[in-house]
Amino acid sequence: MTITYLEQEQLFHLQSKDMSYIIQLNNGYPLHVYWGKKLRSVSNITRLLHYPDNASIDRYPQEYPQYGTGDFRNPAYQVRLEDGSRITELVYESHKITEGKPKLPGLPAVYVESERESQTLEIKLVDHYSGLSVTLSYTVFEDHNAISRSVQFLNCGSQSVSLERALSASVDFIDSDYEMIYLAGGWAREAQVKRRVLEAGLTTIESRRGASSAQFNPFMALARPNTDEDQGEVFGFSLVYSGSFVAETEVDYLHSTRVSIGINPFDFGWLLEPGESFQTPEAIMVYSTEGLGGMSRTYHRLYRTRLCRGIHRDQERPILVNNWEATYFDFNAEKIESIAKSGAELGIELFVLDDGWFGKRNDDTTSLGDWIVDRTKLPEGLTNLAERVNSLGLLFGLWFEPEMVSPDSDLYRQHPDWCIHVEGRRRTEGRTQLILDLSRQEVCDYLLESLSKIFTSVPISYVKWDMNRNMTEIGSATRSAVRQKETAHRYMLGLYDLLEKLTHQFPHILFESCASGGGRFDPGMLYYMPQTWTSDNTDAIERLKIQFGTSMVYPVSTIGAHVSAVPNHQMGRTTSLVTRGDVAMSGNFGYEMDLTTFSDDEKVIAKQQVAHYKEIRSLVQQGDLYRLRSPFEGNETAWMFVSEDKAQALVYYFQVLAEPNAPLKKLKLKGLDPELDYTIDEEDIIYGGDRLMHSGLHIPPLHGDFVSKCFHLKAKV
């Protein structure tokens, strides 16, 4: 891992384990020269790029393109100056190379635990007319083929500057022979893998919802047409941010491709008075020559170990039972205790009390913001209930939706201006609720005080932090007219600050993010909450697609997955308890159902599932994931987890629909040590790792629809 500067060629060479990234200064402009497999020497590399003399900058591959000076493609940033002009021309002023990786003020970001893990290049550009200074930051990592990029704007002039577009990263590729891969969907069908050939023009995925959204994840990749799970070049882009974003590709008339990612410029603005600065979120760019699987495993290792934080990062996650689909709002202390008791008998470790425990919350129309226990449902209080659950040997967890307020609540009646709104306009309600204005310090202070009071008085070990609607009528009562477009981003900064304080004050609490399921499953939230409720859809068959797609970027340790009742509440589908368990055990395992209704046979199966997951969870949560069969491509799904030392592996195979007179099936495994011998499920038969990967593992005939099979491999000592 090195960053070197060749002064004579004005060329920066950024190297990680197997990757090079090259920038050259040309007449003060930072140009993009190369990103790909690691190069031994970069001397004279720019001779490979031939441009006509006096060519327009529109023909050049750039690192951070600007508007108005001859480049007609989408810029990485745009400003409006006080004189009404929109033209700036950033040119190189200086650079510095440092060990380690600096923190981003007020924003989540990948970190290092030792300066030896990374190096950072900062290139300072200036616009001499306005005094605007822009610093491009690049960090390369010793153990990962990844680069983090972010940008800081500083107004060094004497007049104000209005930012209208401020993206985190832009990369110009010299050709367009790529396919774009991204994750799309909606509520209950998040993270559906999409793949399309790049064509001339602009292709955009985005959120304008004030959250990263279930509709599009803040991730995209470019892959060569022949790229699959195991081979081919892939360039990944992932934004460490939880608000509205944009990721786009633009193919121009020269067949070059510009990739951009960052805060969505739609309805965004930021006023920089003299001396003020603005920091963009961080984009993580990953390079792989080992296909999509190689890209994913790079993101997994980086995000699992250097994005997630706290004592829970490396710990095994507890097996839980959540009462939501068991009771919804209709429960009392005795019912909750009975479910917890049934869970304890199965070996479950954590009980989570979901929505309905506070205010007068008997449905979703009231009481958000009033974080006071409902004594009608819980007459002896929340602390008493938690202690009763603890006495059964279970930890206690609690559901909150802190960012929201119900119009029918004491909080709203006292502070009707505390929600995001535009004065004199209709306040659109979603799920009969409004969004608290977290751009206001007094609102964040109220939440910090209210939640801290509960966290210190109740023995809470886990918090499910939900968020069930997106932003409309975006405005803030305390923001001036010229700063109203700052509201959505200031909201995110307020949320991040609140989460930073809570997680620092209560490090023992395992926080799980939720946004009607996966509506805010992004790297920004993982910085504060090391796992996310992946989808409100708990149907095992739909979860195959959802969890497969989510794994494109996010480590399994972040993926919440539960067994629920059948017929499934979202789909009406009936699947076996075994299949539901195998799907859920491919993530952070739990149950979301009334365990008191289990038959004796179901109790036996569930007890076996709990015991089995305790045996394998470190492998699932910390191992390397290999995707074997895609649910988007056929009737079968398969994936496997391999320990770092290759001594253990776990294979899950799923058959969606039964097939008459089915042919023999083999599954070629991945990630094993070809020199090791393995046994499967404690059988006497020995299989060579090379045989399992090249010849394959025989799949026995499976009868019926929606069936699964698990194989546990252990290296022969």
Side-chain angles (χ1 to χ4, degrees), residues 108-127:
V110 170
Y111 59 90
V112 295
E113 294 184 341
S114 165
E115 287 190 347
R116 294 188 299 273
E117 294 180 25
S118 68
Q119 285 185 319
T120 297
L121 165 67
E122 293 180 334
I123 302 176
K124 184 178 180 181
L125 310 173
V126 294
D127 174 53

PDB file of all heavy atoms in Angstrom, residues 108-127:
ATOM      1  N   PRO A 108     -20.740   9.683   9.178  1.00  0.00           N
ATOM      2  CA  PRO A 108     -20.210   8.325   9.288  1.00  0.00           C
ATOM      3  C   PRO A 108     -19.187   8.063   8.200  1.00  0.00           C
ATOM      4  O   PRO A 108     -19.261   8.634   7.111  1.00  0.00           O
ATOM      5  CB  PRO A 108     -21.455   7.453   9.097  1.00  0.00           C
ATOM      6  CG  PRO A 108     -22.374   8.285   8.263  1.00  0.00           C
ATOM      7  CD  PRO A 108     -22.131   9.708   8.686  1.00  0.00           C
ATOM      8  N   ALA A 109     -18.233   7.192   8.480  1.00  0.00           N
ATOM      9  CA  ALA A 109     -17.185   6.903   7.499  1.00  0.00           C
ATOM     10  C   ALA A 109     -16.445   5.646   7.910  1.00  0.00           C
ATOM     11  O   ALA A 109     -16.419   5.264   9.085  1.00  0.00           O
ATOM     12  CB  ALA A 109     -16.202   8.073   7.385  1.00  0.00           C
ATOM     13  N   VAL A 110     -15.838   5.013   6.939  1.00  0.00           N
ATOM     14  CA  VAL A 110     -14.928   3.913   7.220  1.00  0.00           C
ATOM     15  C   VAL A 110     -13.742   4.460   8.017  1.00  0.00           C
ATOM     16  O   VAL A 110     -13.321   5.598   7.821  1.00  0.00           O
ATOM     17  CB  VAL A 110     -14.470   3.269   5.896  1.00  0.00           C
ATOM     18  CG1 VAL A 110     -13.335   2.287   6.119  1.00  0.00           C
ATOM     19  CG2 VAL A 110     -15.648   2.569   5.217  1.00  0.00           C
ATOM     20  N   TYR A 111     -13.219   3.657   8.915  1.00  0.00           N
ATOM     21  CA  TYR A 111     -12.126   4.112   9.778  1.00  0.00           C
ATOM     22  C   TYR A 111     -10.990   3.090   9.755  1.00  0.00           C
ATOM     23  O   TYR A 111     -11.123   1.990   9.209  1.00  0.00           O
ATOM     24  CB  TYR A 111     -12.622   4.298  11.218  1.00  0.00           C
ATOM     25  CG  TYR A 111     -13.187   3.038  11.833  1.00  0.00           C
ATOM     26  CD1 TYR A 111     -12.387   2.150  12.546  1.00  0.00           C
ATOM     27  CD2 TYR A 111     -14.531   2.723  11.676  1.00  0.00           C
ATOM     28  CE1 TYR A 111     -12.895   0.988  13.086  1.00  0.00           C
ATOM     29  CE2 TYR A 111     -15.064   1.560  12.214  1.00  0.00           C
ATOM     30  CZ  TYR A 111     -14.245   0.697  12.923  1.00  0.00           C
ATOM     31  OH  TYR A 111     -14.760  -0.467  13.451  1.00  0.00           O
ATOM     32  N   VAL A 112      -9.869   3.451  10.343  1.00  0.00           N
ATOM     33  CA  VAL A 112      -8.759   2.517  10.547  1.00  0.00           C
ATOM     34  C   VAL A 112      -8.405   2.526  12.023  1.00  0.00           C
ATOM     35  O   VAL A 112      -8.642   3.503  12.729  1.00  0.00           O
ATOM     36  CB  VAL A 112      -7.532   2.886   9.689  1.00  0.00           C
ATOM     37  CG1 VAL A 112      -7.849   2.736   8.211  1.00  0.00           C
ATOM     38  CG2 VAL A 112      -7.037   4.303   9.992  1.00  0.00           C
ATOM     39  N   GLU A 113      -7.846   1.411  12.477  1.00  0.00           N
ATOM     40  CA  GLU A 113      -7.437   1.312  13.879  1.00  0.00           C
ATOM     41  C   GLU A 113      -5.945   1.531  14.052  1.00  0.00           C
ATOM     42  O   GLU A 113      -5.453   1.639  15.168  1.00  0.00           O
ATOM     43  CB  GLU A 113      -7.856  -0.040  14.447  1.00  0.00           C
ATOM     44  CG  GLU A 113      -9.376  -0.190  14.531  1.00  0.00           C
ATOM     45  CD  GLU A 113      -9.816  -1.494  15.177  1.00  0.00           C
ATOM     46  OE1 GLU A 113      -8.987  -2.435  15.236  1.00  0.00           O
ATOM     47  OE2 GLU A 113     -10.976  -1.564  15.619  1.00  0.00           O
ATOM     48  N   SER A 114      -5.227   1.577  12.936  1.00  0.00           N
ATOM     49  CA  SER A 114      -3.801   1.866  12.952  1.00  0.00           C
ATOM     50  C   SER A 114      -3.466   2.663  11.696  1.00  0.00           C
ATOM     51  O   SER A 114      -4.019   2.394  10.621  1.00  0.00           O
ATOM     52  CB  SER A 114      -2.977   0.571  12.983  1.00  0.00           C
ATOM     53  OG  SER A 114      -1.626   0.822  12.667  1.00  0.00           O
ATOM     54  N   GLU A 115      -2.580   3.629  11.835  1.00  0.00           N
ATOM     55  CA  GLU A 115      -2.199   4.421  10.664  1.00  0.00           C
ATOM     56  C   GLU A 115      -1.556   3.566   9.581  1.00  0.00           C
ATOM     57  O   GLU A 115      -1.568   3.936   8.407  1.00  0.00           O
ATOM     58  CB  GLU A 115      -1.244   5.548  11.090  1.00  0.00           C
ATOM     59  CG  GLU A 115      -1.920   6.664  11.856  1.00  0.00           C
ATOM     60  CD  GLU A 115      -1.001   7.858  12.045  1.00  0.00           C
ATOM     61  OE1 GLU A 115       0.216   7.704  11.792  1.00  0.00           O
ATOM     62  OE2 GLU A 115      -1.501   8.934  12.427  1.00  0.00           O
ATOM     63  N   ARG A 116      -1.023   2.407   9.965  1.00  0.00           N
ATOM     64  CA  ARG A 116      -0.385   1.526   8.986  1.00  0.00           C
ATOM     65  C   ARG A 116      -1.397   0.881   8.028  1.00  0.00           C
ATOM     66  O   ARG A 116      -1.013   0.313   7.009  1.00  0.00           O
ATOM     67  CB  ARG A 116       0.402   0.427   9.709  1.00  0.00           C
ATOM     68  CG  ARG A 116       1.588   0.931  10.514  1.00  0.00           C
ATOM     69  CD  ARG A 116       2.423  -0.221  11.028  1.00  0.00           C
ATOM     70  NE  ARG A 116       1.648  -1.094  11.903  1.00  0.00           N
ATOM     71  CZ  ARG A 116       1.504  -0.909  13.216  1.00  0.00           C
ATOM     72  NH1 ARG A 116       2.094   0.136  13.798  1.00  0.00           N
ATOM     73  NH2 ARG A 116       0.807  -1.749  13.938  1.00  0.00           N
ATOM     74  N   GLU A 117      -2.680   0.980   8.360  1.00  0.00           N
ATOM     75  CA  GLU A 117      -3.705   0.334   7.538  1.00  0.00           C
ATOM     76  C   GLU A 117      -4.026   1.111   6.267  1.00  0.00           C
ATOM     77  O   GLU A 117      -4.632   0.559   5.344  1.00  0.00           O
ATOM     78  CB  GLU A 117      -5.008   0.169   8.341  1.00  0.00           C
ATOM     79  CG  GLU A 117      -4.903  -0.787   9.506  1.00  0.00           C
ATOM     80  CD  GLU A 117      -6.226  -0.909  10.250  1.00  0.00           C
ATOM     81  OE1 GLU A 117      -7.282  -0.671   9.630  1.00  0.00           O
ATOM     82  OE2 GLU A 117      -6.208  -1.230  11.447  1.00  0.00           O
ATOM     83  N   SER A 118      -3.663   2.376   6.224  1.00  0.00           N
ATOM     84  CA  SER A 118      -4.085   3.178   5.069  1.00  0.00           C
ATOM     85  C   SER A 118      -3.181   4.387   4.887  1.00  0.00           C
ATOM     86  O   SER A 118      -2.424   4.773   5.784  1.00  0.00           O
ATOM     87  CB  SER A 118      -5.536   3.648   5.257  1.00  0.00           C
ATOM     88  OG  SER A 118      -5.622   4.577   6.324  1.00  0.00           O
ATOM     89  N   GLN A 119      -3.298   4.982   3.701  1.00  0.00           N
ATOM     90  CA  GLN A 119      -2.709   6.282   3.418  1.00  0.00           C
ATOM     91  C   GLN A 119      -3.765   7.146   2.733  1.00  0.00           C
ATOM     92  O   GLN A 119      -4.666   6.636   2.053  1.00  0.00           O
ATOM     93  CB  GLN A 119      -1.492   6.167   2.498  1.00  0.00           C
ATOM     94  CG  GLN A 119      -0.246   5.638   3.175  1.00  0.00           C
ATOM     95  CD  GLN A 119       0.957   5.664   2.243  1.00  0.00           C
ATOM     96  OE1 GLN A 119       0.839   5.343   1.067  1.00  0.00           O
ATOM     97  NE2 GLN A 119       2.110   6.035   2.763  1.00  0.00           N
ATOM     98  N   THR A 120      -3.620   8.455   2.907  1.00  0.00           N
ATOM     99  CA  THR A 120      -4.601   9.394   2.370  1.00  0.00           C
ATOM    100  C   THR A 120      -3.909  10.470   1.549  1.00  0.00           C
ATOM    101  O   THR A 120      -2.904  11.052   1.981  1.00  0.00           O
ATOM    102  CB  THR A 120      -5.414  10.049   3.510  1.00  0.00           C
ATOM    103  OG1 THR A 120      -6.144   9.031   4.202  1.00  0.00           O
ATOM    104  CG2 THR A 120      -6.389  11.084   2.957  1.00  0.00           C
ATOM    105  N   LEU A 121      -4.473  10.713   0.377  1.00  0.00           N
ATOM    106  CA  LEU A 121      -4.035  11.802  -0.496  1.00  0.00           C
ATOM    107  C   LEU A 121      -5.100  12.887  -0.491  1.00  0.00           C
ATOM    108  O   LEU A 121      -6.284  12.603  -0.687  1.00  0.00           O
ATOM    109  CB  LEU A 121      -3.834  11.295  -1.922  1.00  0.00           C
ATOM    110  CG  LEU A 121      -3.712  12.354  -3.031  1.00  0.00           C
ATOM    111  CD1 LEU A 121      -2.420  13.165  -2.874  1.00  0.00           C
ATOM    112  CD2 LEU A 121      -3.798  11.708  -4.410  1.00  0.00           C
ATOM    113  N   GLU A 122      -4.683  14.112  -0.253  1.00  0.00           N
ATOM    114  CA  GLU A 122      -5.583  15.257  -0.345  1.00  0.00           C
ATOM    115  C   GLU A 122      -5.057  16.208  -1.412  1.00  0.00           C
ATOM    116  O   GLU A 122      -3.916  16.674  -1.323  1.00  0.00           O
ATOM    117  CB  GLU A 122      -5.697  15.975   1.000  1.00  0.00           C
ATOM    118  CG  GLU A 122      -6.395  15.140   2.062  1.00  0.00           C
ATOM    119  CD  GLU A 122      -6.498  15.853   3.398  1.00  0.00           C
ATOM    120  OE1 GLU A 122      -5.645  16.731   3.674  1.00  0.00           O
ATOM    121  OE2 GLU A 122      -7.421  15.550   4.154  1.00  0.00           O
ATOM    122  N   ILE A 123      -5.874  16.463  -2.416  1.00  0.00           N
ATOM    123  CA  ILE A 123      -5.515  17.387  -3.504  1.00  0.00           C
ATOM    124  C   ILE A 123      -6.352  18.648  -3.341  1.00  0.00           C
ATOM    125  O   ILE A 123      -7.587  18.604  -3.406  1.00  0.00           O
ATOM    126  CB  ILE A 123      -5.770  16.754  -4.880  1.00  0.00           C
ATOM    127  CG1 ILE A 123      -4.969  15.460  -5.038  1.00  0.00           C
ATOM    128  CG2 ILE A 123      -5.413  17.738  -5.987  1.00  0.00           C
ATOM    129  CD1 ILE A 123      -5.249  14.728  -6.337  1.00  0.00           C
ATOM    130  N   LYS A 124      -5.670  19.769  -3.156  1.00  0.00           N
ATOM    131  CA  LYS A 124      -6.362  21.040  -2.958  1.00  0.00           C
ATOM    132  C   LYS A 124      -6.470  21.785  -4.286  1.00  0.00           C
ATOM    133  O   LYS A 124      -5.468  22.045  -4.961  1.00  0.00           O
ATOM    134  CB  LYS A 124      -5.626  21.903  -1.940  1.00  0.00           C
ATOM    135  CG  LYS A 124      -6.333  23.207  -1.616  1.00  0.00           C
ATOM    136  CD  LYS A 124      -5.569  24.002  -0.555  1.00  0.00           C
ATOM    137  CE  LYS A 124      -6.261  25.315  -0.232  1.00  0.00           C
ATOM    138  NZ  LYS A 124      -5.501  26.096   0.781  1.00  0.00           N
ATOM    139  N   LEU A 125      -7.706  22.135  -4.660  1.00  0.00           N
ATOM    140  CA  LEU A 125      -7.991  22.898  -5.868  1.00  0.00           C
ATOM    141  C   LEU A 125      -8.600  24.234  -5.470  1.00  0.00           C
ATOM    142  O   LEU A 125      -9.301  24.330  -4.455  1.00  0.00           O
ATOM    143  CB  LEU A 125      -8.976  22.135  -6.769  1.00  0.00           C
ATOM    144  CG  LEU A 125      -8.650  20.665  -7.072  1.00  0.00           C
ATOM    145  CD1 LEU A 125      -9.800  20.013  -7.829  1.00  0.00           C
ATOM    146  CD2 LEU A 125      -7.358  20.555  -7.865  1.00  0.00           C
ATOM    147  N   VAL A 126      -8.368  25.260  -6.268  1.00  0.00           N
ATOM    148  CA  VAL A 126      -8.920  26.575  -5.942  1.00  0.00           C
ATOM    149  C   VAL A 126      -9.491  27.225  -7.197  1.00  0.00           C
ATOM    150  O   VAL A 126      -9.014  27.005  -8.318  1.00  0.00           O
ATOM    151  CB  VAL A 126      -7.850  27.511  -5.321  1.00  0.00           C
ATOM    152  CG1 VAL A 126      -7.394  26.983  -3.974  1.00  0.00           C
ATOM    153  CG2 VAL A 126      -6.678  27.693  -6.259  1.00  0.00           C
ATOM    154  N   ASP A 127     -10.539  28.014  -6.975  1.00  0.00           N
ATOM    155  CA  ASP A 127     -11.078  28.899  -8.008  1.00  0.00           C
ATOM    156  C   ASP A 127     -10.673  30.316  -7.618  1.00  0.00           C
ATOM    157  O   ASP A 127     -11.191  30.869  -6.635  1.00  0.00           O
ATOM    158  CB  ASP A 127     -12.597  28.773  -8.087  1.00  0.00           C
ATOM    159  CG  ASP A 127     -13.195  29.786  -9.046  1.00  0.00           C
ATOM    160  OD1 ASP A 127     -12.730  29.837 -10.197  1.00  0.00           O
ATOM    161  OD2 ASP A 127     -14.113  30.535  -8.640  1.00  0.00           O
TER     162      ASP A 127
END
